[in-house]
Amino acid sequence: DGGITQSPKYLFRKEGQNVTLSCEQNLNHDAMYWYRQDPGQGLRLIYYSQIVNDFQKGDIAEGYSVSREKKESFPLTVTSAQKNPTAFYLCASMHRATDTQYFGPGTRLTVL
Amino acid sequence: RKEVEQDPGPFNVPEGATVAFNCTYSNSASQSFFWYRQDCRKEPKLLMSVYSSGNEDGRFTAQLNRASQYISLLIRDSKLSDSATYLCVVIRMEYGNKLVFGAGTILRVKS
Protein backbone atom coordinates (compact mmCIF):
# COMPACT_ATOMS: atom_id res chain seq x y z
CA ASP A 1 0.00 0.00 0.00
CA GLY A 2 1.18 3.52 -0.76
CA GLY A 3 1.35 5.94 2.12
CA ILE A 4 3.28 7.73 4.80
CA THR A 5 4.51 6.03 7.94
CA GLN A 6 5.76 7.61 11.13
CA SER A 7 7.41 5.97 14.07
CA PRO A 8 7.17 5.64 16.93
CA LYS A 9 3.51 6.40 17.61
CA TYR A 10 4.28 7.48 21.19
CA LEU A 11 7.63 8.71 22.45
CA PHE A 12 8.71 9.72 25.92
CA ARG A 13 11.83 11.73 26.45
CA LYS A 14 13.69 13.02 29.43
CA GLU A 15 14.64 16.66 29.53
CA GLY A 16 18.01 17.30 27.93
CA GLN A 17 17.79 14.40 25.47
CA ASN A 18 17.67 14.60 21.71
CA VAL A 19 15.16 12.34 19.96
CA THR A 20 14.61 11.54 16.29
CA LEU A 21 11.19 10.99 14.75
CA SER A 22 10.99 8.87 11.63
CA CYS A 23 8.95 9.68 8.51
CA GLU A 24 8.91 7.49 5.39
CA GLN A 25 6.78 7.74 2.25
CA ASN A 26 6.42 5.54 -0.81
CA LEU A 27 4.20 7.91 -2.76
CA ASN A 28 7.12 9.18 -4.86
CA HIS A 29 6.42 12.72 -3.69
CA ASP A 30 9.28 15.19 -3.92
CA ALA A 31 8.12 17.51 -1.14
CA MET A 32 7.93 16.58 2.52
CA TYR A 33 6.93 18.58 5.59
CA TRP A 34 7.03 18.46 9.38
CA TYR A 35 4.37 20.11 11.56
CA ARG A 36 3.62 20.21 15.22
CA GLN A 37 0.14 20.51 16.68
CA ASP A 38 -0.66 21.72 20.17
CA PRO A 39 -4.10 21.44 21.78
CA GLY A 40 -6.54 24.02 20.40
CA GLN A 41 -4.08 25.25 17.81
CA GLY A 42 -3.60 24.73 14.13
CA LEU A 43 -0.66 22.90 12.63
CA ARG A 44 2.56 24.91 12.59
CA LEU A 45 5.28 24.25 10.05
CA ILE A 46 8.68 23.24 11.44
CA TYR A 47 10.73 22.32 8.35
CA TYR A 48 10.06 21.36 4.76
CA SER A 49 12.00 19.87 1.89
CA GLN A 50 11.28 20.25 -1.81
CA ILE A 51 13.95 17.86 -3.09
CA VAL A 52 16.60 15.50 -1.81
CA ASN A 53 19.51 17.19 -0.02
CA ASP A 54 17.59 20.44 0.35
CA PHE A 55 15.39 21.70 3.17
CA GLN A 56 14.08 25.00 4.48
CA LYS A 57 13.07 26.32 7.89
CA GLY A 58 9.40 26.76 8.54
CA ASP A 59 7.75 29.08 11.02
CA ILE A 60 9.00 27.38 14.21
CA ALA A 61 12.33 25.71 13.35
CA GLU A 62 14.24 26.64 16.51
CA GLY A 63 15.26 23.58 18.49
CA TYR A 64 14.69 21.18 15.58
CA SER A 65 16.84 19.73 12.82
CA VAL A 66 16.15 17.60 9.74
CA SER A 67 17.91 15.77 6.95
CA ARG A 68 16.80 14.65 3.49
CA GLU A 69 19.31 12.15 2.20
CA LYS A 70 16.71 10.03 0.42
CA LYS A 71 13.50 10.94 -1.36
CA GLU A 72 11.53 8.53 0.81
CA SER A 73 12.79 9.68 4.19
CA PHE A 74 12.63 12.95 6.15
CA PRO A 75 13.58 12.40 9.81
CA LEU A 76 13.09 15.13 12.41
CA THR A 77 15.36 15.54 15.43
CA VAL A 78 13.95 17.34 18.44
CA THR A 79 16.95 18.71 20.27
CA SER A 80 17.37 19.65 23.91
CA ALA A 81 17.27 23.28 22.77
CA GLN A 82 13.54 23.00 22.03
CA LYS A 83 11.98 24.58 25.10
CA ASN A 84 8.52 23.03 24.91
CA PRO A 85 8.73 19.86 22.82
CA THR A 86 5.65 18.03 24.13
CA ALA A 87 3.28 17.98 21.15
CA PHE A 88 1.76 15.91 18.35
CA TYR A 89 4.18 15.79 15.40
CA LEU A 90 2.86 15.23 11.91
CA CYS A 91 4.79 14.49 8.75
CA ALA A 92 3.30 15.11 5.32
CA SER A 93 4.23 14.79 1.67
CA MET A 94 2.82 16.72 -1.21
CA HIS A 95 1.50 15.78 -4.61
CA ARG A 96 2.74 18.67 -6.75
CA ALA A 97 0.11 18.50 -9.46
CA THR A 98 -2.74 19.04 -7.00
CA ASP A 99 -0.96 20.86 -4.13
CA THR A 100 -2.50 18.23 -1.88
CA GLN A 101 -0.70 17.14 1.26
CA TYR A 102 -1.07 13.69 2.71
CA PHE A 103 -0.26 13.06 6.35
CA GLY A 104 1.29 10.26 8.31
CA PRO A 105 -0.42 9.03 11.50
CA GLY A 106 1.73 11.24 13.73
CA THR A 107 4.01 10.82 16.73
CA ARG A 108 3.01 12.00 20.20
CA LEU A 109 6.10 13.21 22.03
CA THR A 110 5.99 13.73 25.78
CA VAL A 111 8.87 15.17 27.75
CA LEU A 112 9.02 13.85 31.29
CA ARG B 1 -4.23 38.59 13.48
CA LYS B 2 -3.88 34.95 12.40
CA GLU B 3 -3.37 34.29 8.72
CA VAL B 4 -6.27 31.81 8.65
CA GLU B 5 -9.12 32.20 11.14
CA GLN B 6 -11.96 29.87 11.98
CA ASP B 7 -14.72 29.86 14.58
CA PRO B 8 -13.52 27.15 16.98
CA GLY B 9 -17.08 26.08 17.88
CA PRO B 10 -18.08 23.57 19.01
CA PHE B 11 -21.10 23.33 16.76
CA ASN B 12 -23.54 20.91 18.37
CA VAL B 13 -26.19 19.80 15.88
CA PRO B 14 -28.75 16.98 15.67
CA GLU B 15 -28.52 14.26 13.07
CA GLY B 16 -29.98 15.38 9.76
CA ALA B 17 -29.21 19.06 10.34
CA THR B 18 -27.45 21.34 7.89
CA VAL B 19 -24.41 23.13 9.26
CA ALA B 20 -22.06 25.69 7.75
CA PHE B 21 -18.53 26.74 8.68
CA ASN B 22 -16.71 29.83 7.54
CA CYS B 23 -13.02 30.57 7.35
CA THR B 24 -11.27 33.86 6.57
CA TYR B 25 -7.74 34.34 5.28
CA SER B 26 -5.60 37.45 5.28
CA ASN B 27 -3.10 36.85 2.46
CA SER B 28 -4.79 38.03 -0.72
CA ALA B 29 -2.14 36.26 -2.82
CA SER B 30 -3.29 32.84 -1.59
CA GLN B 31 -4.19 30.66 -4.53
CA SER B 32 -5.26 27.22 -3.34
CA PHE B 33 -7.73 26.31 -0.64
CA PHE B 34 -8.76 23.10 1.06
CA TRP B 35 -10.88 21.64 3.81
CA TYR B 36 -9.34 18.87 5.87
CA ARG B 37 -11.04 16.73 8.47
CA GLN B 38 -9.28 15.64 11.65
CA ASP B 39 -10.65 13.04 14.03
CA CYS B 40 -9.62 13.09 17.68
CA ARG B 41 -5.93 12.23 18.10
CA LYS B 42 -5.57 11.35 14.39
CA GLU B 43 -3.90 12.94 11.40
CA PRO B 44 -5.76 15.42 9.15
CA LYS B 45 -7.28 13.95 6.00
CA LEU B 46 -8.23 15.84 2.89
CA LEU B 47 -11.97 16.40 2.67
CA MET B 48 -12.11 18.52 -0.46
CA SER B 49 -10.40 21.21 -2.45
CA VAL B 50 -12.17 24.55 -2.83
CA TYR B 51 -12.55 26.12 -6.24
CA SER B 52 -13.65 29.61 -7.22
CA SER B 53 -16.73 28.23 -8.91
CA GLY B 54 -17.69 26.26 -5.83
CA ASN B 55 -17.74 22.50 -5.69
CA GLU B 56 -19.86 19.74 -4.24
CA ASP B 57 -19.06 16.23 -3.10
CA GLY B 58 -22.13 14.38 -1.93
CA ARG B 59 -23.43 16.10 1.19
CA PHE B 60 -20.52 18.55 1.27
CA THR B 61 -20.36 21.86 -0.58
CA ALA B 62 -17.40 24.23 -0.54
CA GLN B 63 -17.43 27.84 -1.67
CA LEU B 64 -14.69 30.43 -2.14
CA ASN B 65 -15.23 34.19 -2.07
CA ARG B 66 -11.98 35.82 -3.16
CA ALA B 67 -13.27 39.38 -2.87
CA SER B 68 -14.14 38.90 0.80
CA GLN B 69 -11.35 36.38 1.39
CA TYR B 70 -13.44 33.70 2.95
CA ILE B 71 -14.11 30.03 2.39
CA SER B 72 -17.16 28.10 3.50
CA LEU B 73 -18.10 24.48 4.01
CA LEU B 74 -21.71 23.33 4.08
CA ILE B 75 -22.67 19.90 5.37
CA ARG B 76 -26.19 18.68 4.65
CA ASP B 77 -28.01 15.83 6.38
CA SER B 78 -25.38 15.55 9.12
CA LYS B 79 -24.38 12.07 10.26
CA LEU B 80 -22.94 11.00 13.59
CA SER B 81 -19.78 10.08 11.70
CA ASP B 82 -19.34 13.70 10.61
CA SER B 83 -18.30 14.58 14.17
CA ALA B 84 -14.73 15.83 13.86
CA THR B 85 -12.62 18.97 13.65
CA TYR B 86 -12.69 20.68 10.26
CA LEU B 87 -9.52 22.51 9.25
CA CYS B 88 -9.44 25.31 6.73
CA VAL B 89 -6.19 25.32 4.77
CA VAL B 90 -4.67 27.93 2.49
CA ILE B 91 -1.60 27.67 0.31
CA ARG B 92 0.95 30.41 0.96
CA MET B 93 2.50 31.17 -2.43
CA GLU B 94 6.21 31.25 -1.89
CA TYR B 95 9.06 28.79 -2.28
CA GLY B 96 7.70 25.44 -1.30
CA ASN B 97 4.00 26.24 -1.55
CA LYS B 98 3.53 26.03 2.19
CA LEU B 99 0.13 25.24 3.63
CA VAL B 100 -1.26 27.44 6.40
CA PHE B 101 -3.79 25.80 8.68
CA GLY B 102 -6.61 27.31 10.65
CA ALA B 103 -7.02 26.06 14.22
CA GLY B 104 -10.15 24.15 13.24
CA THR B 105 -13.88 24.10 13.91
CA ILE B 106 -15.28 21.34 16.11
CA LEU B 107 -18.48 19.66 14.95
CA ARG B 108 -20.48 17.35 17.19
CA VAL B 109 -23.45 15.59 15.66
CA LYS B 110 -25.83 14.08 18.19
CA SER B 111 -28.62 11.53 17.82
PDB file of all heavy atoms in Angstrom, chain B residues 73-89:
ATOM      1  N   LEU B  73     -17.804  25.905   4.166  1.00  0.00           N
ATOM      2  CA  LEU B  73     -18.099  24.476   4.011  1.00  0.00           C
ATOM      3  C   LEU B  73     -19.504  24.236   4.534  1.00  0.00           C
ATOM      4  O   LEU B  73     -19.823  24.619   5.664  1.00  0.00           O
ATOM      5  CB  LEU B  73     -17.106  23.616   4.795  1.00  0.00           C
ATOM      6  CG  LEU B  73     -17.359  22.112   4.766  1.00  0.00           C
ATOM      7  CD1 LEU B  73     -17.128  21.555   3.356  1.00  0.00           C
ATOM      8  CD2 LEU B  73     -16.465  21.400   5.773  1.00  0.00           C
ATOM      9  N   LEU B  74     -20.336  23.644   3.709  1.00  0.00           N
ATOM     10  CA  LEU B  74     -21.712  23.331   4.079  1.00  0.00           C
ATOM     11  C   LEU B  74     -21.866  21.819   4.139  1.00  0.00           C
ATOM     12  O   LEU B  74     -21.471  21.129   3.198  1.00  0.00           O
ATOM     13  CB  LEU B  74     -22.690  23.913   3.047  1.00  0.00           C
ATOM     14  CG  LEU B  74     -24.169  23.702   3.324  1.00  0.00           C
ATOM     15  CD1 LEU B  74     -24.636  24.673   4.396  1.00  0.00           C
ATOM     16  CD2 LEU B  74     -24.984  23.908   2.048  1.00  0.00           C
ATOM     17  N   ILE B  75     -22.405  21.329   5.229  1.00  0.00           N
ATOM     18  CA  ILE B  75     -22.666  19.895   5.371  1.00  0.00           C
ATOM     19  C   ILE B  75     -24.176  19.709   5.518  1.00  0.00           C
ATOM     20  O   ILE B  75     -24.783  20.251   6.444  1.00  0.00           O
ATOM     21  CB  ILE B  75     -21.948  19.301   6.605  1.00  0.00           C
ATOM     22  CG1 ILE B  75     -20.448  19.607   6.553  1.00  0.00           C
ATOM     23  CG2 ILE B  75     -22.197  17.797   6.691  1.00  0.00           C
ATOM     24  CD1 ILE B  75     -19.685  19.154   7.800  1.00  0.00           C
ATOM     25  N   ARG B  76     -24.743  18.958   4.594  1.00  0.00           N
ATOM     26  CA  ARG B  76     -26.189  18.683   4.651  1.00  0.00           C
ATOM     27  C   ARG B  76     -26.426  17.306   5.261  1.00  0.00           C
ATOM     28  O   ARG B  76     -25.575  16.419   5.172  1.00  0.00           O
ATOM     29  CB  ARG B  76     -26.784  18.725   3.238  1.00  0.00           C
ATOM     30  CG  ARG B  76     -26.800  20.109   2.602  1.00  0.00           C
ATOM     31  CD  ARG B  76     -27.423  20.034   1.208  1.00  0.00           C
ATOM     32  NE  ARG B  76     -26.637  19.171   0.326  1.00  0.00           N
ATOM     33  CZ  ARG B  76     -25.540  19.571  -0.312  1.00  0.00           C
ATOM     34  NH1 ARG B  76     -25.111  20.801  -0.175  1.00  0.00           N
ATOM     35  NH2 ARG B  76     -24.902  18.733  -1.102  1.00  0.00           N
ATOM     36  N   ASP B  77     -27.613  17.132   5.850  1.00  0.00           N
ATOM     37  CA  ASP B  77     -28.011  15.833   6.381  1.00  0.00           C
ATOM     38  C   ASP B  77     -26.898  15.240   7.257  1.00  0.00           C
ATOM     39  O   ASP B  77     -26.391  14.136   6.995  1.00  0.00           O
ATOM     40  CB  ASP B  77     -28.355  14.886   5.230  1.00  0.00           C
ATOM     41  CG  ASP B  77     -28.981  13.585   5.702  1.00  0.00           C
ATOM     42  OD1 ASP B  77     -29.533  13.565   6.828  1.00  0.00           O
ATOM     43  OD2 ASP B  77     -28.897  12.585   4.963  1.00  0.00           O
ATOM     44  N   SER B  78     -26.516  15.953   8.276  1.00  0.00           N
ATOM     45  CA  SER B  78     -25.381  15.552   9.118  1.00  0.00           C
ATOM     46  C   SER B  78     -25.542  14.146   9.677  1.00  0.00           C
ATOM     47  O   SER B  78     -26.638  13.740  10.092  1.00  0.00           O
ATOM     48  CB  SER B  78     -25.237  16.536  10.297  1.00  0.00           C
ATOM     49  OG  SER B  78     -24.976  17.827   9.833  1.00  0.00           O
ATOM     50  N   LYS B  79     -24.443  13.420   9.687  1.00  0.00           N
ATOM     51  CA  LYS B  79     -24.383  12.069  10.261  1.00  0.00           C
ATOM     52  C   LYS B  79     -23.541  12.103  11.530  1.00  0.00           C
ATOM     53  O   LYS B  79     -22.680  12.969  11.694  1.00  0.00           O
ATOM     54  CB  LYS B  79     -23.747  11.093   9.265  1.00  0.00           C
ATOM     55  CG  LYS B  79     -24.274  11.152   7.855  1.00  0.00           C
ATOM     56  CD  LYS B  79     -25.679  10.643   7.768  1.00  0.00           C
ATOM     57  CE  LYS B  79     -26.144  10.597   6.300  1.00  0.00           C
ATOM     58  NZ  LYS B  79     -27.601  10.352   6.213  1.00  0.00           N
ATOM     59  N   LEU B  80     -23.761  11.112  12.379  1.00  0.00           N
ATOM     60  CA  LEU B  80     -22.943  11.002  13.586  1.00  0.00           C
ATOM     61  C   LEU B  80     -21.464  10.932  13.223  1.00  0.00           C
ATOM     62  O   LEU B  80     -20.605  11.485  13.909  1.00  0.00           O
ATOM     63  CB  LEU B  80     -23.338   9.764  14.392  1.00  0.00           C
ATOM     64  CG  LEU B  80     -24.727   9.766  15.026  1.00  0.00           C
ATOM     65  CD1 LEU B  80     -25.008   8.416  15.691  1.00  0.00           C
ATOM     66  CD2 LEU B  80     -24.868  10.884  16.029  1.00  0.00           C
ATOM     67  N   SER B  81     -21.164  10.266  12.120  1.00  0.00           N
ATOM     68  CA  SER B  81     -19.778  10.084  11.701  1.00  0.00           C
ATOM     69  C   SER B  81     -19.127  11.362  11.179  1.00  0.00           C
ATOM     70  O   SER B  81     -17.917  11.389  10.939  1.00  0.00           O
ATOM     71  CB  SER B  81     -19.702   9.007  10.618  1.00  0.00           C
ATOM     72  OG  SER B  81     -20.532   9.367   9.522  1.00  0.00           O
ATOM     73  N   ASP B  82     -19.920  12.419  11.020  1.00  0.00           N
ATOM     74  CA  ASP B  82     -19.337  13.701  10.605  1.00  0.00           C
ATOM     75  C   ASP B  82     -18.677  14.419  11.781  1.00  0.00           C
ATOM     76  O   ASP B  82     -17.977  15.420  11.576  1.00  0.00           O
ATOM     77  CB  ASP B  82     -20.418  14.621  10.017  1.00  0.00           C
ATOM     78  CG  ASP B  82     -20.981  14.107   8.705  1.00  0.00           C
ATOM     79  OD1 ASP B  82     -20.257  13.379   7.994  1.00  0.00           O
ATOM     80  OD2 ASP B  82     -22.143  14.440   8.384  1.00  0.00           O
ATOM     81  N   SER B  83     -18.894  13.957  12.981  1.00  0.00           N
ATOM     82  CA  SER B  83     -18.296  14.582  14.167  1.00  0.00           C
ATOM     83  C   SER B  83     -16.775  14.545  14.049  1.00  0.00           C
ATOM     84  O   SER B  83     -16.181  13.464  13.934  1.00  0.00           O
ATOM     85  CB  SER B  83     -18.739  13.860  15.440  1.00  0.00           C
ATOM     86  OG  SER B  83     -20.130  13.979  15.617  1.00  0.00           O
ATOM     87  N   ALA B  84     -16.169  15.711  14.067  1.00  0.00           N
ATOM     88  CA  ALA B  84     -14.726  15.828  13.858  1.00  0.00           C
ATOM     89  C   ALA B  84     -14.360  17.310  13.963  1.00  0.00           C
ATOM     90  O   ALA B  84     -15.219  18.156  14.184  1.00  0.00           O
ATOM     91  CB  ALA B  84     -14.317  15.295  12.489  1.00  0.00           C
ATOM     92  N   THR B  85     -13.083  17.584  13.781  1.00  0.00           N
ATOM     93  CA  THR B  85     -12.625  18.975  13.651  1.00  0.00           C
ATOM     94  C   THR B  85     -12.342  19.235  12.183  1.00  0.00           C
ATOM     95  O   THR B  85     -11.683  18.429  11.521  1.00  0.00           O
ATOM     96  CB  THR B  85     -11.354  19.216  14.482  1.00  0.00           C
ATOM     97  OG1 THR B  85     -11.651  18.999  15.856  1.00  0.00           O
ATOM     98  CG2 THR B  85     -10.856  20.642  14.301  1.00  0.00           C
ATOM     99  N   TYR B  86     -12.846  20.343  11.672  1.00  0.00           N
ATOM    100  CA  TYR B  86     -12.695  20.683  10.257  1.00  0.00           C
ATOM    101  C   TYR B  86     -11.684  21.827  10.140  1.00  0.00           C
ATOM    102  O   TYR B  86     -11.857  22.891  10.731  1.00  0.00           O
ATOM    103  CB  TYR B  86     -14.048  21.047   9.646  1.00  0.00           C
ATOM    104  CG  TYR B  86     -14.920  19.827   9.544  1.00  0.00           C
ATOM    105  CD1 TYR B  86     -15.669  19.384  10.634  1.00  0.00           C
ATOM    106  CD2 TYR B  86     -14.951  19.069   8.374  1.00  0.00           C
ATOM    107  CE1 TYR B  86     -16.426  18.224  10.561  1.00  0.00           C
ATOM    108  CE2 TYR B  86     -15.710  17.914   8.294  1.00  0.00           C
ATOM    109  CZ  TYR B  86     -16.438  17.493   9.395  1.00  0.00           C
ATOM    110  OH  TYR B  86     -17.184  16.338   9.319  1.00  0.00           O
ATOM    111  N   LEU B  87     -10.633  21.569   9.376  1.00  0.00           N
ATOM    112  CA  LEU B  87      -9.524  22.508   9.246  1.00  0.00           C
ATOM    113  C   LEU B  87      -9.584  23.206   7.892  1.00  0.00           C
ATOM    114  O   LEU B  87      -9.664  22.558   6.849  1.00  0.00           O
ATOM    115  CB  LEU B  87      -8.187  21.765   9.355  1.00  0.00           C
ATOM    116  CG  LEU B  87      -7.976  20.911  10.606  1.00  0.00           C
ATOM    117  CD1 LEU B  87      -6.657  20.140  10.489  1.00  0.00           C
ATOM    118  CD2 LEU B  87      -7.951  21.772  11.841  1.00  0.00           C
ATOM    119  N   CYS B  88      -9.520  24.506   7.939  1.00  0.00           N
ATOM    120  CA  CYS B  88      -9.441  25.312   6.729  1.00  0.00           C
ATOM    121  C   CYS B  88      -7.964  25.486   6.397  1.00  0.00           C
ATOM    122  O   CYS B  88      -7.156  25.793   7.291  1.00  0.00           O
ATOM    123  CB  CYS B  88     -10.106  26.659   7.015  1.00  0.00           C
ATOM    124  SG  CYS B  88      -9.963  27.876   5.720  1.00  0.00           S
ATOM    125  N   VAL B  89      -7.593  25.295   5.152  1.00  0.00           N
ATOM    126  CA  VAL B  89      -6.185  25.315   4.768  1.00  0.00           C
ATOM    127  C   VAL B  89      -5.991  26.181   3.528  1.00  0.00           C
ATOM    128  O   VAL B  89      -6.743  26.059   2.556  1.00  0.00           O
ATOM    129  CB  VAL B  89      -5.677  23.889   4.485  1.00  0.00           C
ATOM    130  CG1 VAL B  89      -4.197  23.912   4.151  1.00  0.00           C
ATOM    131  CG2 VAL B  89      -5.938  22.983   5.673  1.00  0.00           C
TER     132      VAL B  89
END
